[in-house]
Coordinates of all heavy atoms in Angstrom, one line a residue:
A1 N 11.8 20.7 -178.6 CA 12.9 19.7 -178.5 C 12.5 18.5 -177.7 O 12.8 17.4 -178.1 CB 14.1 20.4 -177.7
F2 N 11.7 18.8 -176.6 CA 11.2 17.6 -175.9 C 10.3 16.7 -176.7 O 10.3 15.5 -176.6 CB 10.4 18.1 -174.6 CG 9.8 17.1 -173.8 CD1 10.7 16.4 -172.8 CD2 8.5 16.7 -173.9 CE1 10.1 15.4 -172.1 CE2 8.0 15.7 -173.0 CZ 8.8 15.1 -172.1
L3 N 9.4 17.4 -177.6 CA 8.5 16.6 -178.4 C 9.2 15.8 -179.4 O 8.9 14.6 -179.7 CB 7.6 17.7 -179.1 CG 6.5 17.1 -180.1 CD1 5.5 16.1 -179.4 CD2 5.7 18.2 -180.8
R4 N 10.4 16.4 -180.0 CA 11.1 15.7 -180.9 C 11.8 14.4 -180.3 O 11.8 13.3 -180.9 CB 12.2 16.5 -181.5 CG 11.7 17.5 -182.6 CD 12.8 18.1 -183.4 NE 13.8 18.8 -182.6 CZ 13.6 20.1 -182.3 NH1 12.6 20.8 -182.7 NH2 14.6 20.7 -181.6
K5 N 12.2 14.6 -179.0 CA 12.8 13.5 -178.3 C 11.8 12.3 -178.0 O 12.1 11.2 -178.2 CB 13.5 14.0 -177.0 CG 14.2 12.9 -176.2 CD 14.8 13.5 -174.9 CE 15.5 12.4 -174.1 NZ 16.1 12.9 -172.9
E6 N 10.6 12.9 -177.6 CA 9.5 11.8 -177.3 C 9.1 11.0 -178.5 O 8.9 9.9 -178.5 CB 8.3 12.6 -176.8 CG 7.4 11.8 -175.9 CD 6.3 12.7 -175.3 OE1 5.8 13.6 -176.1 OE2 6.1 12.5 -174.1
Q7 N 9.1 11.7 -179.7 CA 8.8 11.0 -181.0 C 9.8 10.0 -181.4 O 9.6 8.9 -181.8 CB 8.6 12.1 -182.1 CG 7.3 12.9 -181.9 CD 7.2 14.0 -182.9 OE1 8.2 14.5 -183.5 NE2 6.0 14.5 -183.2
T8 N 11.2 10.4 -181.1 CA 12.2 9.5 -181.5 C 12.2 8.3 -180.5 O 12.4 7.2 -181.0 CB 13.6 10.3 -181.2 OG1 13.6 11.4 -182.0 CG2 14.7 9.3 -181.6
M9 N 11.9 8.4 -179.2 CA 11.8 7.3 -178.3 C 10.6 6.4 -178.8 O 10.8 5.2 -178.7 CB 11.5 7.9 -176.9 CG 12.7 8.4 -176.3 SD 12.3 9.1 -174.6 CE 12.0 7.6 -173.7
E10 N 9.5 7.0 -179.2 CA 8.4 6.2 -179.6 C 8.7 5.3 -180.8 O 8.4 4.1 -181.0 CB 7.2 7.0 -180.0 CG 6.4 7.6 -178.7 CD 5.3 8.6 -179.1 OE1 5.2 8.7 -180.4 OE2 4.7 9.1 -178.2
Q11 N 9.5 5.8 -181.7 CA 10.0 5.1 -183.0 C 10.9 3.9 -182.6 O 10.8 2.9 -183.0 CB 10.7 6.1 -183.9 CG 9.7 7.0 -184.6 CD 10.4 8.2 -185.4 OE1 11.6 8.1 -185.4 NE2 9.6 9.0 -186.0
D12 N 11.9 4.3 -181.6 CA 12.9 3.3 -181.1 C 12.1 2.1 -180.4 O 12.7 1.0 -180.5 CB 13.8 3.9 -180.2 CG 14.7 5.0 -181.0 OD1 14.8 4.9 -182.2 OD2 15.4 5.8 -180.3
T13 N 11.1 2.4 -179.7 CA 10.4 1.4 -178.9 C 9.1 0.8 -179.5 O 8.4 0.0 -179.0 CB 10.0 1.9 -177.5 OG1 9.1 3.0 -177.7 CG2 11.3 2.4 -176.7
A14 N 8.9 1.3 -180.8 CA 7.7 0.8 -181.6 C 7.6 -0.7 -181.6 O 8.7 -1.4 -182.0 CB 7.6 1.4 -182.9
G15 N 6.6 -1.3 -181.2 CA 6.4 -2.8 -181.2 C 7.1 -3.5 -180.0 O 6.9 -4.8 -179.9
L16 N 7.8 -2.8 -179.1 CA 8.5 -3.4 -178.0 C 7.5 -4.1 -177.2 O 7.8 -5.3 -176.6 CB 9.3 -2.4 -177.3 CG 10.2 -3.0 -176.1 CD1 11.2 -4.0 -176.5 CD2 10.8 -1.8 -175.3
F17 N 6.3 -3.5 -176.9 CA 5.4 -4.1 -176.0 C 4.2 -4.8 -176.7 O 3.2 -5.1 -176.1 CB 4.8 -2.9 -175.1 CG 6.0 -2.4 -174.1 CD1 6.4 -1.1 -174.5 CD2 6.5 -3.1 -173.1 CE1 7.4 -0.5 -173.7 CE2 7.5 -2.5 -172.4 CZ 8.0 -1.2 -172.7
D18 N 4.3 -4.8 -178.1 CA 3.2 -5.5 -178.8 C 3.5 -7.0 -178.6 O 4.6 -7.5 -178.7 CB 3.3 -5.1 -180.3 CG 2.9 -3.6 -180.5 OD1 2.4 -3.1 -179.6 OD2 3.3 -3.2 -181.6
E19 N 2.3 -7.7 -178.5 CA 2.4 -9.2 -178.5 C 2.6 -9.8 -179.8 O 1.9 -9.3 -180.8 CB 1.2 -9.7 -177.8 CG 1.0 -9.4 -176.4 CD -0.4 -9.6 -175.9 OE1 -1.2 -9.8 -176.7 OE2 -0.7 -9.4 -174.8
P20 N 3.6 -10.7 -180.0 CA 3.8 -11.2 -181.3 C 2.6 -12.0 -181.8 O 1.7 -12.4 -181.0 CB 5.0 -12.3 -181.1 CG 5.0 -12.5 -179.6 CD 4.5 -11.3 -179.0
A21 N 2.5 -12.2 -183.1 CA 1.3 -12.9 -183.7 C 1.0 -14.2 -183.1 O -0.2 -14.5 -183.0 CB 1.5 -12.9 -185.2
D22 N 2.0 -15.0 -182.6 CA 1.7 -16.3 -182.1 C 2.0 -16.3 -180.7 O 2.2 -17.3 -180.0 CB 2.8 -17.2 -182.8 CG 4.2 -16.8 -182.6 OD1 4.5 -15.7 -182.0 OD2 5.2 -17.7 -182.8
Y23 N 1.8 -15.2 -180.0 CA 1.9 -15.1 -178.5 C 0.8 -16.0 -177.8 O 1.2 -16.7 -176.9 CB 1.7 -13.6 -178.0 CG 2.0 -13.5 -176.5 CD1 3.1 -13.5 -176.0 CD2 0.8 -13.4 -175.7 CE1 3.3 -13.3 -174.6 CE2 1.1 -13.2 -174.3 CZ 2.2 -13.2 -173.8 OH 2.4 -13.0 -172.4
Y24 N -0.4 -15.9 -178.3 CA -1.4 -16.8 -177.7 C -1.5 -18.0 -178.6 O -1.5 -17.9 -179.8 CB -2.8 -16.0 -177.6 CG -2.8 -15.0 -176.6 CD1 -2.8 -13.6 -177.0 CD2 -2.8 -15.3 -175.2 CE1 -2.9 -12.7 -176.0 CE2 -2.8 -14.2 -174.3 CZ -2.8 -12.9 -174.7 OH -2.9 -12.0 -173.8
P25 N -1.7 -19.2 -178.0 CA -1.9 -20.4 -178.9 C -3.3 -20.2 -179.6 O -4.2 -19.7 -179.1 CB -2.0 -21.6 -177.9 CG -2.4 -20.9 -176.6 CD -1.7 -19.5 -176.6
P26 N -3.4 -20.7 -180.9 CA -4.6 -20.6 -181.6 C -5.6 -21.5 -181.0 O -5.3 -22.4 -180.5 CB -4.2 -21.0 -183.0 CG -3.0 -21.9 -182.8 CD -2.3 -21.3 -181.7
S27 N -6.9 -21.0 -181.2 CA -8.0 -21.8 -180.6 C -8.1 -23.1 -181.5 O -7.8 -23.1 -182.7 CB -9.4 -21.0 -180.8 OG -9.4 -19.9 -179.9
P28 N -8.3 -24.2 -180.8 CA -8.4 -25.5 -181.5 C -9.6 -25.4 -182.6 O -10.6 -24.7 -182.3 CB -8.7 -26.4 -180.5 CG -9.2 -25.8 -179.4 CD -8.6 -24.4 -179.4
P29 N -9.5 -26.0 -183.7 CA -10.5 -26.0 -184.7 C -11.8 -26.8 -184.2 O -11.7 -27.6 -183.4 CB -9.9 -26.7 -186.0 CG -8.9 -27.6 -185.3 CD -8.3 -26.9 -184.1
P30 N -12.9 -26.4 -184.8 CA -14.2 -27.2 -184.5 C -13.9 -28.6 -184.9 O -13.2 -29.0 -185.7 CB -15.2 -26.6 -185.4 CG -14.7 -25.2 -185.7 CD -13.2 -25.3 -185.8
T31 N -14.7 -29.5 -184.1 CA -14.6 -30.9 -184.3 C -16.0 -31.5 -184.5 O -17.0 -30.7 -184.4 CB -13.9 -31.7 -183.2 OG1 -14.6 -31.4 -182.0 CG2 -12.5 -31.1 -182.9
S32 N -16.1 -32.8 -184.7 CA -17.4 -33.4 -184.9 C -17.3 -34.8 -184.3 O -16.2 -35.4 -184.2 CB -17.9 -33.5 -186.2 OG -17.0 -34.3 -187.1
Q33 N -18.4 -35.3 -183.7 CA -18.5 -36.6 -183.2 C -19.8 -37.3 -183.7 O -20.8 -36.6 -184.0 CB -18.5 -36.6 -181.6 CG -17.2 -36.2 -181.1 CD -17.0 -36.6 -179.6 OE1 -17.6 -37.6 -179.2 NE2 -16.2 -35.9 -178.9
V34 N -19.8 -38.6 -183.6 CA -20.9 -39.4 -184.3 C -21.6 -40.1 -183.2 O -21.0 -40.8 -182.4 CB -20.5 -40.2 -185.4 CG1 -21.7 -41.1 -185.9 CG2 -19.9 -39.4 -186.6
Y35 N -22.9 -40.0 -183.1 CA -23.7 -40.8 -182.1 C -24.6 -41.8 -182.9 O -25.2 -41.4 -183.9 CB -24.7 -39.9 -181.3 CG -25.6 -40.6 -180.4 CD1 -25.2 -41.0 -179.2 CD2 -26.9 -40.9 -180.8 CE1 -26.0 -41.7 -178.3 CE2 -27.7 -41.6 -180.0 CZ -27.4 -42.0 -178.6 OH -28.1 -42.7 -177.8

């Protein structure tokens, strides 16, 4: 019974602590300069 309860809680909280895809700002793209 405890195991079933634990599995249910995991399903209910799935993704709760996952960082969204856009949580971190993307790295800026490479650039170039001319000398």
Side-chain angles (χ1 to χ4, degrees):
F2 182 78
L3 180 60
R4 285 196 297 273
K5 183 178 180 181
E6 208 173 39
Q7 290 172 337
T8 302
M9 290 177 64
E10 288 176 357
Q11 292 170 359
D12 291 344
T13 60
L16 180 63
F17 299 105
D18 293 344
E19 294 162 349
D22 59 352
Y23 182 78
Y24 292 110
S27 295
T31 59
S32 64
Q33 292 196 28
V34 174
Y35 175 85

